[in-house]
Short mmCIF file of all heavy atoms in Angstrom, two decimals:
data_model
loop_
_atom_site.label_atom_id
_atom_site.label_comp_id
_atom_site.label_asym_id
_atom_site.label_seq_id
_atom_site.Cartn_x
_atom_site.Cartn_y
_atom_site.Cartn_z
N GLU Z 60 -6.98 9.39 1.01
CA GLU Z 60 -6.21 10.23 1.92
C GLU Z 60 -4.83 9.64 2.13
O GLU Z 60 -4.63 8.44 2.07
CB GLU Z 60 -6.95 10.42 3.24
CG GLU Z 60 -6.83 9.26 4.21
CD GLU Z 60 -7.60 9.52 5.50
OE1 GLU Z 60 -8.81 9.29 5.49
OE2 GLU Z 60 -6.97 9.92 6.48
N ASP Z 61 -3.91 10.50 2.34
CA ASP Z 61 -2.53 10.09 2.57
C ASP Z 61 -2.33 9.90 4.06
O ASP Z 61 -2.64 10.78 4.85
CB ASP Z 61 -1.59 11.17 2.03
CG ASP Z 61 -0.14 10.76 2.10
OD1 ASP Z 61 0.13 9.55 2.20
OD2 ASP Z 61 0.72 11.65 2.05
N TYR Z 62 -1.82 8.76 4.45
CA TYR Z 62 -1.64 8.50 5.87
C TYR Z 62 -0.17 8.37 6.24
O TYR Z 62 0.20 7.65 7.13
CB TYR Z 62 -2.44 7.28 6.32
CG TYR Z 62 -2.13 6.01 5.58
CD1 TYR Z 62 -1.18 5.13 6.03
CD2 TYR Z 62 -2.81 5.69 4.41
CE1 TYR Z 62 -0.90 3.98 5.35
CE2 TYR Z 62 -2.54 4.54 3.73
CZ TYR Z 62 -1.58 3.69 4.20
OH TYR Z 62 -1.31 2.54 3.53
N SER Z 63 0.68 9.10 5.52
CA SER Z 63 2.09 9.11 5.89
C SER Z 63 2.32 10.19 6.94
O SER Z 63 1.54 11.14 7.07
CB SER Z 63 2.96 9.36 4.67
OG SER Z 63 2.67 10.62 4.13
N PHE Z 64 3.38 10.03 7.67
CA PHE Z 64 3.70 10.97 8.73
C PHE Z 64 4.65 12.03 8.22
O PHE Z 64 5.48 11.77 7.36
CB PHE Z 64 4.34 10.24 9.91
CG PHE Z 64 3.45 9.20 10.52
CD1 PHE Z 64 3.77 7.87 10.45
CD2 PHE Z 64 2.28 9.56 11.16
CE1 PHE Z 64 2.96 6.91 11.00
CE2 PHE Z 64 1.45 8.61 11.72
CZ PHE Z 64 1.79 7.27 11.65
N PRO Z 65 4.58 13.24 8.78
CA PRO Z 65 5.54 14.27 8.40
C PRO Z 65 6.93 13.91 8.89
O PRO Z 65 7.10 13.11 9.82
CB PRO Z 65 5.01 15.53 9.08
CG PRO Z 65 4.13 15.05 10.18
CD PRO Z 65 3.60 13.72 9.75
N ARG Z 69 5.12 16.13 16.06
CA ARG Z 69 4.58 15.12 16.98
C ARG Z 69 3.64 14.14 16.26
O ARG Z 69 2.97 14.51 15.31
CB ARG Z 69 3.81 15.80 18.11
CG ARG Z 69 4.68 16.61 19.02
CD ARG Z 69 3.83 17.20 20.14
NE ARG Z 69 4.69 17.88 21.07
CZ ARG Z 69 5.13 17.33 22.21
NH1 ARG Z 69 4.78 16.11 22.52
NH2 ARG Z 69 5.91 18.00 23.01
N ILE Z 70 3.60 12.95 16.78
CA ILE Z 70 2.68 11.93 16.29
C ILE Z 70 1.66 11.71 17.40
O ILE Z 70 2.01 11.33 18.52
CB ILE Z 70 3.40 10.62 15.95
CG1 ILE Z 70 4.38 10.87 14.82
CG2 ILE Z 70 2.40 9.55 15.57
CD1 ILE Z 70 5.22 9.66 14.46
N THR Z 71 0.41 11.93 17.07
CA THR Z 71 -0.63 11.79 18.08
C THR Z 71 -1.21 10.37 18.04
O THR Z 71 -0.96 9.60 17.09
CB THR Z 71 -1.77 12.80 17.82
OG1 THR Z 71 -2.39 12.48 16.57
CG2 THR Z 71 -1.23 14.23 17.80
N LEU Z 72 -1.99 10.07 19.04
CA LEU Z 72 -2.64 8.77 19.11
C LEU Z 72 -3.62 8.61 17.94
O LEU Z 72 -3.78 7.52 17.39
CB LEU Z 72 -3.37 8.62 20.45
CG LEU Z 72 -3.93 7.25 20.78
CD1 LEU Z 72 -2.83 6.20 20.73
CD2 LEU Z 72 -4.60 7.25 22.14
N GLU Z 73 -4.26 9.70 17.54
CA GLU Z 73 -5.18 9.68 16.39
C GLU Z 73 -4.43 9.33 15.11
O GLU Z 73 -4.93 8.56 14.28
CB GLU Z 73 -5.86 11.04 16.25
CG GLU Z 73 -6.85 11.10 15.12
CD GLU Z 73 -7.47 12.49 14.98
OE1 GLU Z 73 -7.52 13.24 15.97
OE2 GLU Z 73 -7.88 12.79 13.85
N ASP Z 74 -3.22 9.88 14.94
CA ASP Z 74 -2.39 9.55 13.77
C ASP Z 74 -2.05 8.07 13.75
O ASP Z 74 -2.11 7.43 12.69
CB ASP Z 74 -1.10 10.37 13.77
CG ASP Z 74 -1.34 11.85 13.55
OD1 ASP Z 74 -2.35 12.19 12.91
OD2 ASP Z 74 -0.50 12.66 14.01
N LEU Z 75 -1.67 7.54 14.90
CA LEU Z 75 -1.32 6.11 14.97
C LEU Z 75 -2.53 5.23 14.68
O LEU Z 75 -2.43 4.22 13.98
CB LEU Z 75 -0.73 5.78 16.33
CG LEU Z 75 0.69 6.25 16.57
CD1 LEU Z 75 1.13 5.94 18.00
CD2 LEU Z 75 1.65 5.63 15.60
N ASP Z 76 -3.70 5.60 15.23
CA ASP Z 76 -4.91 4.81 14.97
C ASP Z 76 -5.26 4.84 13.49
O ASP Z 76 -5.65 3.81 12.91
CB ASP Z 76 -6.08 5.36 15.80
CG ASP Z 76 -5.95 5.04 17.28
OD1 ASP Z 76 -5.20 4.10 17.62
OD2 ASP Z 76 -6.59 5.75 18.08
N ASN Z 77 -5.12 6.00 12.86
CA ASN Z 77 -5.39 6.13 11.42
C ASN Z 77 -4.42 5.26 10.62
O ASN Z 77 -4.82 4.56 9.69
CB ASN Z 77 -5.27 7.60 11.02
CG ASN Z 77 -5.72 7.85 9.60
OD1 ASN Z 77 -6.50 7.09 9.05
ND2 ASN Z 77 -5.21 8.91 9.02
N TYR Z 78 -3.15 5.28 10.99
CA TYR Z 78 -2.16 4.46 10.29
C TYR Z 78 -2.46 2.97 10.46
O TYR Z 78 -2.42 2.21 9.49
CB TYR Z 78 -0.76 4.78 10.82
CG TYR Z 78 0.31 3.94 10.18
CD1 TYR Z 78 0.79 4.24 8.92
CD2 TYR Z 78 0.82 2.81 10.83
CE1 TYR Z 78 1.75 3.45 8.32
CE2 TYR Z 78 1.78 2.02 10.24
CZ TYR Z 78 2.25 2.35 8.98
OH TYR Z 78 3.19 1.57 8.39
N ILE Z 79 -2.76 2.56 11.67
CA ILE Z 79 -3.04 1.13 11.93
C ILE Z 79 -4.29 0.69 11.17
O ILE Z 79 -4.35 -0.42 10.64
CB ILE Z 79 -3.16 0.88 13.44
CG1 ILE Z 79 -1.77 1.03 14.07
CG2 ILE Z 79 -3.74 -0.49 13.73
CD1 ILE Z 79 -1.77 0.98 15.58
N LYS Z 80 -5.30 1.58 11.07
CA LYS Z 80 -6.51 1.24 10.33
C LYS Z 80 -6.17 0.98 8.86
O LYS Z 80 -6.58 -0.03 8.29
CB LYS Z 80 -7.52 2.38 10.44
CG LYS Z 80 -8.82 2.12 9.70
CD LYS Z 80 -9.71 3.33 9.75
CE LYS Z 80 -9.70 3.89 8.35
NZ LYS Z 80 -10.32 5.11 8.11
N HIS Z 81 -5.40 1.88 8.25
CA HIS Z 81 -5.02 1.67 6.84
C HIS Z 81 -4.09 0.48 6.68
O HIS Z 81 -4.17 -0.24 5.69
CB HIS Z 81 -4.36 2.94 6.29
CG HIS Z 81 -5.30 4.07 6.08
ND1 HIS Z 81 -6.41 3.97 5.28
CD2 HIS Z 81 -5.33 5.33 6.58
CE1 HIS Z 81 -7.07 5.10 5.27
NE2 HIS Z 81 -6.43 5.95 6.07
N TYR Z 82 -3.21 0.27 7.62
CA TYR Z 82 -2.30 -0.87 7.56
C TYR Z 82 -3.10 -2.17 7.59
O TYR Z 82 -2.84 -3.09 6.82
CB TYR Z 82 -1.32 -0.80 8.74
CG TYR Z 82 -0.35 -1.95 8.79
CD1 TYR Z 82 0.78 -1.97 7.99
CD2 TYR Z 82 -0.58 -3.05 9.62
CE1 TYR Z 82 1.66 -3.02 8.02
CE2 TYR Z 82 0.29 -4.11 9.66
CZ TYR Z 82 1.42 -4.09 8.86
OH TYR Z 82 2.29 -5.14 8.90
#
Side-chain angles (χ1 to χ4, degrees):
E60 80 180 82
D61 186 20
Y62 56 92
S63 62
F64 299 114
R69 294 182 175 263
I70 296 176
T71 65
L72 189 57
E73 182 182 335
D74 292 333
L75 286 176
D76 288 339
N77 188 24
Y78 178 79
I79 290 173
K80 180 185 109 187
H81 289 302
Y82 179 81

